[in-house]
Amino acid sequence: MAKRGRLFVISGPAGAGKSEIVKTVLKKHPDVKLSVSCTTRAPRPGEVDGVSYHFVTEERFRQLIDEGAFYEWAHVHQNHYGTLKSAVRKELDAGNDLILEIDVQGCLQAMAQDPTVTGIFICPPSRENLEQRLRHRGTETEESIRVRLGNVAKEVAAAYQYHYVIIHQDWAVQPNALEIAADQVYAIMTARRLELDSQRDFLDGLNASLQA
Ligand code: 5GP
């Protein structure tokens, strides 16, 4: 029987470095796939439709909700975001491990419908570090930074609901912090793949051949 892929949710407050960590994992491990979400927020400079997100109107997003097209969706930072069922099904059926880089509400929805979903929470080392990263990103307005920082306490409190917590160190303290965090994500993915339940089919076959 062909092996199904596994679903990994990566969350963390804005500015904790989730996207850079995920990008690093994907670059090093082309076998890992990333789901492209739908969003109603406007593209940031450099973001490409269909690559960063599927940028859709509020009306189209509502339509997709009504059609039951979303695996999960949520209202985050004044915009709508959602993962398409079709994208999840396609990768898992093909046997690929899939990362969803989504918020806490989305992670809880995913865990509720599939107990094999693994939740990984990316934490900043401190509040000061988080604020600094958010400002240095230069893509946010002051208003958007204020909204996002206001949500951080709630987001970090939800980390207790995840299976794993990775601390993305300050690069000034640990120059290869990004590499380390990305390697930790992949280590979790590897460990999940090697669990007894994932290896059971192989073991059954090996045992049967040894007893023949
Ligand atoms: P950003 O606007 O910075 O790209 O993302 C804002 C937040 O929305 C981040 O926490 C990101 O993880 C989350 N997000 C992105 N896509 C999805 C999605 O499909 N579903 C949910 N629930 N959250 C998402």
Side-chain angles (χ1 to χ4, degrees):
M1 198 174 61
K3 245 186 199 175
R4 255 175 84 73
R6 285 179 172 276
L7 205 54
F8 295 84
V9 172
I10 299 197
S11 307
K18 279 168 303 184
S19 302
E20 295 95 313
I21 293 169
V22 169
K23 269 188 209 132
T24 306
V25 172
L26 297 179
K27 205 156 81 186
K28 278 177 105 167
H29 307 284
D31 53 312
V32 176
K33 305 293 173 196
L34 174 67
S35 159
V36 178
S37 297
C38 294
T39 184
T40 57
R41 91 152 157 71
R44 296 190 185 119
E47 284 186 331
V48 179
D49 188 29
V51 177
S52 319
Y53 281 104
H54 300 291
F55 294 99
V56 298
T57 60
E58 273 294 339
E59 193 189 354
R60 177 70 185 134
F61 199 94
R62 289 267 153 223
Q63 208 178 6
L64 289 166
I65 294 175
D66 292 343
E67 288 168 8
F70 287 120
Y71 179 74
E72 63 72 38
W73 66 270
H75 191 241
V76 192
H77 307 314
Q78 301 165 329
N79 290 295
H80 281 108
Y81 295 83
T83 305
L84 290 169
K85 276 182 192 162
S86 54
V88 172
R89 201 172 302 135
K90 177 173 155 250
E91 296 300 346
L92 298 192
D93 286 353
N96 295 321
D97 285 343
L98 181 67
I99 293 179
L100 307 186
E101 191 195 318
I102 62 176
D103 88 317
V104 169
Q105 306 167 68
C107 180
L108 296 181
Q109 290 176 46
M111 285 175 174
Q113 57 189 301
D114 180 356
T116 70
V117 166
T118 306
I120 304 173
F121 195 88
I122 310 285
C123 258
S126 65
R127 185 205 155 96
E128 292 70 29
N129 172 270
L130 184 70
E131 193 165 343
Q132 206 177 26
R133 280 190 203 172
L134 216 47
R135 288 188 195 284
H136 279 184
R137 197 150 79 167
T139 53
E140 309 298 323
T141 60
E142 234 355 86
E143 164 67 6
S144 156
I145 290 174
R146 206 184 50 74
V147 171
R148 279 162 197 253
L149 276 175
N151 286 331
V152 168
K154 252 192 311 190
E155 284 174 326
V156 173
Y160 294 96
Q161 320 236 30
Y162 285 69
H163 301 99
Y164 297 92
V165 176
I166 290 177
I167 301 162
H168 185 199
Q169 266 304 342
D170 189 337
W171 64 265
V173 176
Q174 196 172 46
N176 56 345
L178 182 59
E179 286 281 312
I180 290 173
D183 287 348
Q184 288 173 341
V185 168
Y186 196 69
I188 293 166
M189 300 184 84
T190 305
R192 291 287 276 142
R193 252 185 249 163
L194 301 181
E195 278 176 5
L196 178 60
D197 263 353
S198 302
Q199 303 287 49
R200 209 174 281 279
D201 288 346
F202 165 79
L203 277 183
D204 289 349
L206 181 61
N207 270 317
S209 75
L210 291 173
Q211 281 157 19

Short mmCIF file of all heavy atoms in Angstrom, two decimals, residues 123-127 129-130 133 167-170:
data_model
loop_
_atom_site.label_atom_id
_atom_site.label_comp_id
_atom_site.label_asym_id
_atom_site.label_seq_id
_atom_site.Cartn_x
_atom_site.Cartn_y
_atom_site.Cartn_z
N CYS A 123 8.85 29.97 18.57
CA CYS A 123 8.84 31.05 19.56
C CYS A 123 10.02 32.00 19.36
O CYS A 123 11.12 31.54 19.06
CB CYS A 123 9.03 30.44 20.95
SG CYS A 123 7.54 30.30 21.87
N PRO A 124 9.79 33.27 19.59
CA PRO A 124 10.95 34.18 19.63
C PRO A 124 11.62 34.01 21.00
O PRO A 124 10.97 33.56 21.94
CB PRO A 124 10.31 35.56 19.53
CG PRO A 124 8.96 35.39 20.15
CD PRO A 124 8.53 33.97 19.89
N PRO A 125 12.92 34.35 21.12
CA PRO A 125 13.57 34.19 22.43
C PRO A 125 13.07 35.20 23.47
O PRO A 125 13.17 34.95 24.66
CB PRO A 125 15.05 34.40 22.13
CG PRO A 125 15.09 35.14 20.84
CD PRO A 125 13.86 34.79 20.08
N SER A 126 12.53 36.33 23.01
CA SER A 126 12.04 37.35 23.96
C SER A 126 11.09 38.31 23.24
O SER A 126 11.05 38.35 22.02
CB SER A 126 13.20 38.17 24.52
OG SER A 126 13.79 38.92 23.46
N ARG A 127 10.37 39.09 24.02
CA ARG A 127 9.46 40.08 23.46
C ARG A 127 10.25 41.14 22.67
O ARG A 127 9.85 41.54 21.57
CB ARG A 127 8.68 40.76 24.60
CG ARG A 127 7.64 41.72 24.07
CD ARG A 127 7.25 42.82 25.02
NE ARG A 127 6.76 43.95 24.23
CZ ARG A 127 5.48 44.16 23.98
NH1 ARG A 127 4.57 43.37 24.48
NH2 ARG A 127 5.11 45.19 23.24
N ASN A 129 13.08 40.89 21.16
CA ASN A 129 13.57 40.34 19.90
C ASN A 129 12.46 40.32 18.87
O ASN A 129 12.65 40.65 17.69
CB ASN A 129 14.11 38.94 20.16
CG ASN A 129 14.47 38.23 18.88
OD1 ASN A 129 13.64 37.56 18.29
ND2 ASN A 129 15.70 38.40 18.42
N LEU A 130 11.26 39.97 19.30
CA LEU A 130 10.12 39.88 18.39
C LEU A 130 9.78 41.25 17.79
O LEU A 130 9.60 41.40 16.59
CB LEU A 130 8.91 39.34 19.17
CG LEU A 130 7.67 39.10 18.35
CD1 LEU A 130 7.89 37.93 17.41
CD2 LEU A 130 6.48 38.83 19.25
N ARG A 133 12.37 42.31 15.24
CA ARG A 133 12.25 41.60 13.96
C ARG A 133 11.09 42.15 13.14
O ARG A 133 11.18 42.29 11.93
CB ARG A 133 12.01 40.10 14.20
CG ARG A 133 13.27 39.35 14.52
CD ARG A 133 13.01 37.86 14.50
NE ARG A 133 14.00 37.17 15.32
CZ ARG A 133 13.96 35.88 15.61
NH1 ARG A 133 12.98 35.15 15.17
NH2 ARG A 133 14.87 35.34 16.34
N ILE A 167 12.62 27.29 19.70
CA ILE A 167 12.98 28.68 19.99
C ILE A 167 13.91 29.16 18.88
O ILE A 167 14.99 28.59 18.69
CB ILE A 167 13.67 28.81 21.37
CG1 ILE A 167 12.73 28.28 22.45
CG2 ILE A 167 14.06 30.26 21.65
CD1 ILE A 167 13.42 27.94 23.75
N HIS A 168 13.44 30.15 18.15
CA HIS A 168 14.26 30.70 17.06
C HIS A 168 15.14 31.79 17.67
O HIS A 168 14.71 32.93 17.85
CB HIS A 168 13.34 31.28 15.97
CG HIS A 168 14.10 31.74 14.77
ND1 HIS A 168 13.58 32.62 13.84
CD2 HIS A 168 15.36 31.46 14.34
CE1 HIS A 168 14.48 32.84 12.90
NE2 HIS A 168 15.56 32.16 13.18
N GLN A 169 16.37 31.42 17.96
CA GLN A 169 17.29 32.32 18.65
C GLN A 169 17.58 33.59 17.84
O GLN A 169 17.43 33.61 16.62
CB GLN A 169 18.61 31.61 18.95
CG GLN A 169 18.67 30.97 20.32
CD GLN A 169 18.40 31.94 21.47
OE1 GLN A 169 18.48 33.17 21.32
NE2 GLN A 169 18.07 31.40 22.62
N ASP A 170 18.04 34.60 18.55
CA ASP A 170 18.47 35.86 17.94
C ASP A 170 19.77 35.56 17.18
O ASP A 170 20.69 34.95 17.74
CB ASP A 170 18.74 36.84 19.08
CG ASP A 170 19.00 38.24 18.59
OD1 ASP A 170 19.40 38.39 17.41
OD2 ASP A 170 18.79 39.17 19.36
#
